Amino acid sequence: MKPDERLGEVLENSACFDDEAWEVWAQCLSPTERLAYIRKHRSHFRFADYDEVIAVVRGRRFTGCSSQLLRWRHRIRARTLQSALLFSVAVWLGIIWLAVRLIR
């Protein structure tokens, strides 16, 4: 692969990351969650002025690090899925325990 082709592929992948990050930012997070994320990860954002800060908090723009946001989102999803799975296992164990107790 030629260096120019590699650069084109990298730019295309980063554009996909940016689009996915903006979608997560605008559609999956509330303004309160966005503000909390900005406060926690302040070094990942660049703001030119106060209007840009407001636009980012309201979900109209995203000036943060796309890969960090997506990595954070995947960790949150994994934790949620793990919690749901553990809860389901606990419920089924409770049902089995009750069934065994009632049969005796």
Side-chain angles (χ1 to χ4, degrees), residues 25 30-32 34-39 42 45-64:
W25 187 254
S30 70
T32 305
R34 288 186 207 114
L35 190 57
Y37 183 86
I38 292 169
R39 286 180 177 155
R42 176 61 184 103
F45 288 86
R46 292 191 195 114
F47 300 113
D49 55 12
Y50 184 73
D51 291 333
E52 189 172 30
V53 173
I54 296 300
V56 169
V57 170
R58 291 182 179 165
R60 294 187 203 129
R61 296 190 68 195
F62 179 69
T63 61

Side-chain angles (χ1 to χ4, degrees), residues 20-40:
E20 186 179 354
W22 186 84
E23 188 175 321
V24 167
W25 187 254
Q27 297 177 3
C28 298
L29 299 173
S30 70
T32 305
E33 292 170 324
R34 288 186 207 114
L35 190 57
Y37 183 86
I38 292 169
R39 286 180 177 155
K40 188 172 183 179

Side-chain angles (χ1 to χ4, degrees), residues 53-96:
V53 173
I54 296 300
V56 169
V57 170
R58 291 182 179 165
R60 294 187 203 129
R61 296 190 68 195
F62 179 69
T63 61
C65 180
S66 301
S67 61
Q68 291 291 354
L69 176 66
L70 296 176
R71 200 173 302 136
W72 172 80
R73 182 71 176 162
H74 291 303
R75 278 196 311 258
I76 295 294
R77 282 185 179 168
R79 286 185 200 147
T80 303
L81 183 60
Q82 183 181 22
S83 298
L85 181 63
L86 289 174
F87 179 75
S88 298
V89 168
V91 167
W92 277 107
L93 288 174
I95 290 170
I96 292 169

